[in-house]
Amino acid sequence: MTYSIYEIVRILGINKGEYHPAQIGTLLTDSRQVYDAEQSLFFALQTATNDGHKYVQELYDAGVRNFVVQRTDPCWLQWQDANLLMVDNPLSALQKLATAHRHKFNIPVIGIVGSNGKTIVKEWLYQLLREDKTITRSPRSYNSQTGVPLSVWQISEQTELGIFEAGISQPGEMQHLQPIVAPTIGILTNIGDAHQEHFADLAQKCDEKLELFRHSNIIVCNGDNELINNCLHKKGLAEKAFTWTSASDTEKAHSLYIDSVKKMDAGTTIAYTFSGQKYSIEIPFADDASIENAINCLATLLCLQVPQETIRQRMKLLEPVAMRLDVRPGKNGCLLVNDSYNSDINSLEIALAFLEGRATAQSLRKVIILSDIPQSGWSAHELYTHVARLLAFRNVDKVIGIGTQITQHAHLFTQSEKSFYLSTDEFIRSGEWKAFRNEVILLKGSRHFQFERIDQYIEQKMHETVLEVNLDAIVHNFNLYRSKLHPNTQLVCMVKADAYGSGSSEVAKTLQYHRCDYLAVAIAEEGIRLREDGIKIPILVLNPEVHGFETLLEYSLEPEVYNFRILEAFIREANRRGISHFPIHLKIDTGMHRLGFEEQDLPRLTHILKHQNGLRIKGVFSHLAASESWVFDDFTTQQISTFKRIARQIEDVCGHTVIKHILNSAGIERFPSEQNDMARLGISLYGISAGNAEGVRNACSLRSSILQIKHIPKSETVGYGRRGVLSRDTRIATIRIGYADGLSRRLGNGVGCVWINGHKAPFVGNICMDLSMIDITDIPANEGDMVEVFGDHLSVKEVASAIDTIPYEVLTSVSARVKRVYFKE
């Protein structure tokens, strides 16, 4: 569905003027996601970390001609073929346009809010209802002030039901989303502590979330939750509530009574009473969160009057929801981007953009293995014409289609390399996967096609212990700290020591995509690897070799210079090569007393700098010794004062402005007024706040699995040296991780623990080279279960504290044989 530019001008209430004819079908908020320039309307959004107006020229050059802006640039006014729609707030304009679009359609819409489970409930409702209705739903977890309007914009004439998430992090946000979603049915999954920092208490957050449902006909929620009930009554919404409850005295027409919940190894049976009749369903999950999500879905299906037998049949077929896109090493130099189980058209666009970014960075060929896309609401010809256009726009080199529908439309794909198969089995039998070499391969298929079987053939098999790196958390932390800085202050991110053990290449690619200003590595070899992996942004080398000038020059690496020996050697080398103005960064010692020029060195330093032109001072910086501790704030203040004084003198000698920076992660949190021209983000990028800042998300999780479980009597011992002395009959689980994987031996003998199935399990006996043992006597666990060594439930800080060290050591100790798996939520 498209709108003329004149319709959009009318909807936004813009003063009439002269506009060039245009049809708008795509709303664009990210300058990196242009795919249909002619029909795109770009909203120049301003956020705490960025300003869309900076990218208007770039988009114009890419063919976009329609813009919603808050201000203009003189050069834009010279464009004779562009539409510049001036508004007070581009985000409000985006929301207003999406609201108008929503109200063109008189269809049922389900709105979902809650602290957890929104995406699962949305995807399960899609699974349960897709055979009956053409559904438009939020792609992935697009539930923000920007994501909601972009989701609702996807409603078309074919849509029979909308299902949209809405999330908030601050009071007042839901009132902007309510008219956009305008749900006829609301679902409140639960109320918890997520994003609590901006709310006075849980009651305030609940009130804010319920704002989405003020005009809804029905509100599905847990009737046993006293907080939710109180908030419903307070807002006058209690009469609209369709509650599910286990309270036997709450039998009313608009309620679902849960008689019993019986967990089994392979799933759960839920018995319930509705309208005086007793029924039961089975679901293939046994965890509490899935049970709660399933009951919310059950209640919603009852509201929609889905027949009981249909509910029973479909509930037992619920499938796990792939909440993330992940990146893994493949065989023969390939990189595997696994996004199976999400096969809708919106998630395809997101995955293709990710594929292109990874392939372009490393100059690898792009391959997609794509299944049929079911229940799109489009005709097959329209759907695969659109898919073919997307693949052509993203310059996909090779297409492998699997399924009857995509095979019938093979002629629409323009790639010179393409092949099609009716089934996954047929593709595997063909052996075509054996020829993959040095390619980025996107796996994109619906659950029915079982693409995990393809994954088994092309993924590089490695140690089952994995370090999972959440790229979304990396981006969140990057933006969180960037929001604490002035818009013009640059940010350099530390990716030394293989990005603190998380893998510098993938982290650097992610940061480059999100417009990080600088990266910093410890040695030149780390910078070389990043350049070879396609990193083009400036790279600062903190510990350069005296004889490494040629390498620095060849790979455009900018060295830190911290003493006269290196300074004079670089000057001699620059003169010998006839080079002038080679960029360097001067390190100043203001009290750390590790590396750097001291204040007493200034006369000699400035004399040398005045009488040479081979080097150009691009930056001057220093390092705070104790910025995380208020005890040493006087010392930190003294360091900052000293740095300013020295940097000013060096800048005077240079005769040009230099980049000045002294703040590290803790410094950004505690001394933001001293940010100068740039700040350095280190450990906090990876989810460990040096100063206990709110909102920092964990980015790295080390996981392993249980190999074997034994019942050992209390008279026995466990492990080398018989150090694991048992005081009771004990269930011992052996897990696939040891000190060769980076697990400290100091954690053994009950000092440390792991997290498994909601419980902490202490280590028993000595940590071995490849294995370790844990006590699971009181924990429900089976062989094959996953174990968290550190992550979301057991923080790196907690592990470090147990062995009297720092998080840096725990992270950087994870060995190279541990596979890194990168994912986006």
Side-chain angles (χ1 to χ4, degrees):
M1 183 173 184
T2 63
Y3 288 76
S4 74
I5 197 69
Y6 307 107
E7 289 179 280
I8 291 174
V9 166
R10 177 184 57 77
I11 290 169
L12 297 183
I14 298 173
N15 293 330
K16 292 183 178 180
E18 295 295 323
Y19 298 102
H20 302 282
Q23 291 295 122
I24 301 301
T26 302
L27 305 187
L28 187 64
T29 61
D30 188 334
S31 63
R32 299 159 298 190
Q33 301 292 336
V34 182
Y35 114 84
D36 187 355
E38 185 178 342
Q39 290 199 357
S40 290
L41 176 62
F42 177 68
F43 290 78
L45 305 182
Q46 292 181 279
T47 69
T49 60
N50 216 340
D51 184 353
H53 294 83
K54 295 192 296 187
Y55 310 110
V56 169
Q57 179 68 58
E58 174 186 319
L59 287 163
Y60 181 84
D61 294 339
V64 177
R65 291 295 180 268
N66 302 287
F67 305 90
V68 176
V69 296
Q70 192 170 350
R71 62 178 187 274
T72 58
D73 186 283
C75 67
W76 305 347
L77 300 177
Q78 299 175 21
W79 297 338
Q80 299 299 311
D81 56 348
N83 292 314
L84 296 171
L85 310 186
M86 287 286 295
V87 298
D88 293 332
N89 185 323
L91 175 58
S92 297
L94 171 67
Q95 295 172 340
K96 189 174 184 179
L97 182 57
T99 298
H101 180 69
R102 161 68 182 94
H103 290 279
K104 277 182 172 286
F105 302 92
N106 184 24
I107 58 172
V109 169
I110 300 172
I112 308 173
V113 300
S115 298
N116 302 103
K118 295 188 294 295
T119 301
I120 298 291
V121 170
K122 178 198 67 184
E123 292 300 320
W124 279 358
L125 285 173
Y126 173 73
Q127 292 179 26
L128 293 162
L129 294 166
R130 63 190 175 190
E131 294 181 28
D132 306 324
K133 295 181 180 295
T134 299
I135 300 172
T136 297
R137 70 194 195 279
S138 309
R140 295 195 178 272
S141 54
Y142 271 37
N143 58 33
S144 67
Q145 296 289 301
T146 303
V148 169
L150 294 179
S151 299
V152 170
W153 182 257
Q154 303 304 316
I155 296 176
S156 69
E157 290 90 343
Q158 290 77 36
T159 303
E160 297 174 300
L161 173 68
I163 310 177
F164 302 106
E165 299 178 48
I168 58 172
S169 57
Q170 299 186 65
E173 289 184 331
M174 195 62 83
Q175 65 182 3
H176 303 298
L177 302 183
Q178 192 282 326
I180 303 173
V181 180
T184 54
I185 297 176
I187 303 173
L188 175 55
T189 59
N190 53 49
I191 294 294
D193 292 330
H195 303 294
Q196 184 60 40
E197 56 267 23
H198 297 296
F199 297 94
D201 50 34
L202 290 177
Q204 184 190 20
K205 183 170 21 177
C206 186
D207 283 344
E208 292 283 340
K209 290 181 182 295
L210 287 172
E211 185 67 18
L212 184 69
F213 308 142
R214 68 170 181 258
H215 299 308
S216 299
N217 300 324
I218 300 172
I219 303 171
V220 173
C221 59
N222 181 356
D224 292 337
N225 188 305
E226 185 178 353
L227 171 64
I228 293 176
N229 283 327
N230 290 339
C231 291
L232 285 168
H233 281 91
K234 177 182 173 183
K235 296 183 75 70
L237 298 174
E239 292 303 314
K240 297 182 177 183
F242 183 97
T243 57
W244 53 270
T245 175
S246 57
S248 58
D249 60 347
T250 315
E251 184 64 31
K252 60 180 184 179
H254 295 293
S255 68
L256 165 66
Y257 173 52
I258 305 301
D259 294 301
S260 64
V261 174
K262 295 181 180 179
K263 297 182 181 180
M264 302 164 288
D265 288 341
T268 302
T269 298
I270 302 171
Y272 64 94
T273 300
F274 176 66
S275 294
Q277 299 295 314
K278 292 188 178 295
Y279 307 93
S280 70
I281 57 170
E282 295 178 11
I283 60 171
F285 306 96
D287 61 287
D288 292 340
S290 293
I291 292 168
E292 181 180 52
N293 292 333
I295 294 174
N296 277 314
C297 291
L298 168 63
T300 306
L301 296 183
L302 294 174
C303 291
L304 292 170
Q305 300 182 344
V306 176
Q308 293 285 348
E309 180 59 22
T310 301
I311 293 174
R312 188 186 67 79
Q313 291 177 1
R314 292 179 184 176
M315 280 295 222
K316 65 183 179 183
L317 298 177
L318 283 175
E319 300 167 354
V321 175
M323 297 289 288
R324 64 194 209 184
L325 171 156
D326 65 45
V327 182
R328 309 166 179 259
K331 295 178 180 177
N332 303 318
C334 292
L335 193 66
L336 181 60
V337 180
N338 191 342
D339 195 28
S340 7
Y341 313 141
N342 282 296
S343 61
D344 59 283
I345 192 68
N346 293 324
S347 69
L348 175 62
E349 293 184 33
I350 297 168
L352 283 171
F354 186 84
L355 173 72
E356 184 177 44
R358 285 305 178 271
T360 301
Q362 294 179 254
S363 300
L364 298 175
R365 283 164 37 88
K366 296 183 283 292
V367 177
I368 183 171
I369 304 176
L370 179 66
S371 78
D372 286 349
I373 301 176
Q375 288 91 28
S376 68
W378 300 16
S379 72
H381 181 78
E382 287 177 324
L383 173 64
Y384 291 105
T385 298
H386 184 64
V387 170
R389 287 181 62 202
L390 283 175
L391 270 55
F393 174 75
R394 293 297 180 185
N395 300 307
V396 172
D397 298 289
K398 183 174 184 177
V399 179
I400 298 173
I402 298 179
T404 54
Q405 289 264 311
I406 195 170
T407 298
Q408 290 170 7
H409 294 84
H411 62 282
L412 298 174
F413 296 87
T414 58
Q415 285 75 15
S416 58
E417 296 182 67
K418 57 183 179 179
S419 53
F420 293 85
Y421 302 89
L422 294 178
S423 68
T424 300
D425 279 334
E426 186 180 339
F427 168 70
I428 292 173
R429 287 196 301 269
S430 76
E432 182 176 352
W433 49 271
K434 297 177 183 177
F436 291 144
R437 295 286 189 283
N438 301 314
E439 295 163 319
V440 182
I441 305 164
L442 172 61
L443 272 176
K444 189 79 176 140
S446 68
R447 176 79 175 182
H448 168 71
F449 286 89
Q450 299 180 322
F451 272 17
E452 66 271 17
R453 296 171 55 217
I454 299 174
D455 179 275
Q456 292 174 3
Y457 286 96
I458 61 180
E459 181 183 348
Q460 181 180 342
K461 296 298 181 289
M462 296 178 70
H463 193 23
E464 286 187 16
T465 296
V466 299
L467 181 71
E468 295 185 341
V469 182
N470 185 338
L471 297 178
D472 285 335
I474 295 279
V475 172
H476 168 84
N477 296 335
F478 172 70
N479 285 328
L480 176 67
Y481 280 83
R482 190 160 61 174
S483 70
K484 299 176 186 293
L485 303 172
H486 301 312
N488 295 326
T489 300
Q490 297 185 69
L491 194 58
V492 53
C493 288
M494 313 303 286
V495 293
K496 62 180 181 175
D498 202 26
Y500 292 28
S502 63
S504 59
S505 179
E506 283 299 325
V507 171
K509 290 171 192 172
T510 299
L511 292 170
Q512 178 172 263
Y513 183 80
H514 287 275
R515 305 183 191 275
C516 177
D517 302 292
Y518 256 88
L519 299 174
V521 296
I523 57 177
E525 284 76 8
E526 293 179 325
I528 292 170
R529 285 197 295 271
L530 292 180
R531 288 288 185 239
E532 290 176 342
D533 285 343
I535 300 303
K536 296 179 172 58
I537 59 179
I539 298 175
L540 174 62
V541 179
L542 299 173
N543 302 314
E545 296 284 343
V546 174
H547 302 294
F549 187 88
E550 182 175 352
T551 298
L552 298 169
L553 180 66
E554 180 181 357
Y555 289 93
S556 299
L557 305 175
E558 301 177 13
E560 166 191 319
V561 173
Y562 50 82
N563 64 21
F564 289 109
R565 179 173 63 94
I566 296 178
L567 178 65
E568 291 170 342
F570 280 4
I571 291 173
R572 286 194 301 271
E573 192 64 21
N575 291 338
R576 187 178 73 81
R577 294 170 177 269
I579 293 171
S580 61
H581 300 101
F582 181 78
I584 68 168
H585 299 253
L586 293 178
K587 178 69 172 287
I588 306 301
D589 183 0
T590 58
M592 180 78 166
H593 298 322
R594 187 172 61 180
L595 294 175
F597 295 99
E598 298 181 356
E599 192 161 14
Q600 65 194 35
D601 297 324
L602 272 181
R604 180 183 173 189
L605 177 61
T606 54
H607 175 79
I608 292 174
L609 295 177
K610 281 181 181 178
H611 296 87
Q612 64 84 41
N613 65 357
L615 308 179
R616 182 177 188 272
I617 312 305
K618 188 172 181 181
V620 177
F621 70 104
S622 187
H623 201 105
L624 297 175
S627 56
E628 71 282 357
S629 176
W630 63 269
V631 174
F632 298 110
D633 280 358
D634 288 344
F635 184 79
T636 299
T637 302
Q638 178 183 319
Q639 277 194 273
I640 293 171
S641 177
T642 301
F643 172 70
K644 286 181 176 179
R645 185 169 62 250
I646 296 174
R648 188 163 49 246
Q649 293 181 61
I650 293 174
E651 196 168 48
D652 289 343
V653 171
C654 293
H656 63 264
T657 301
V658 302
I659 301 171
K660 299 174 287 296
H661 51 107
I662 191 171
L663 297 187
N664 53 9
S665 296
I668 297 171
E669 294 174 17
R670 302 191 64 243
F671 300 92
S673 62
E674 304 295 346
Q675 60 192 258
N676 291 298
D677 306 296
M678 188 157 71
R680 300 187 301 276
L681 183 58
I683 192 71
S684 294
L685 180 66
Y686 305 95
I688 300 154
S689 168
N692 297 315
E694 291 183 342
V696 179
R697 289 179 57 188
N698 171 62
C700 300
S701 298
L702 181 60
R703 303 184 191 280
S704 191
S705 60
I706 294 178
L707 288 172
Q708 188 176 23
I709 296 175
K710 292 186 175 184
H711 293 79
I712 311 296
K714 66 178 179 180
S715 58
E716 299 290 332
T717 61
V718 175
Y720 283 120
R722 304 194 69 189
R723 294 292 301 279
V725 179
L726 303 182
S727 60
R728 61 172 179 170
D729 293 346
T730 308
R731 281 180 86 215
I732 293 292
T734 300
I735 60 176
R736 192 194 297 268
I737 186 171
Y739 59 77
D741 303 299
L743 184 67
S744 174
R745 290 188 79 246
R746 292 171 287 172
L747 289 165
N749 299 297
V751 173
C753 62
V754 298
W755 181 273
I756 177 167
N757 296 337
H759 302 270
K760 289 182 179 180
F763 287 106
V764 178
N766 287 330
I767 304 294
C768 307
M769 180 181 288
D770 310 301
L771 306 168
S772 51
M773 290 70 73
I774 57 174
D775 181 348
I776 60 166
T777 306
D778 304 314
I779 300 172
N782 300 295
E783 293 179 1
D785 283 0
M786 293 301 298
V787 174
E788 180 182 287
V789 180
F790 62 72
D792 293 336
H793 304 100
L794 191 64
S795 72
V796 176
K797 276 188 174 181
E798 188 173 348
V799 175
S801 177
I803 54 176
D804 195 25
T805 187
I806 56 176
Y808 299 77
E809 180 182 348
V810 175
L811 281 177
T812 58
S813 293
V814 179
S815 74
R817 81 174 186 179
V818 173
K819 177 168 62 176
R820 272 67 174 171
V821 174
Y822 304 91
F823 67 91
K824 288 171 59 63
E825 294 173 346

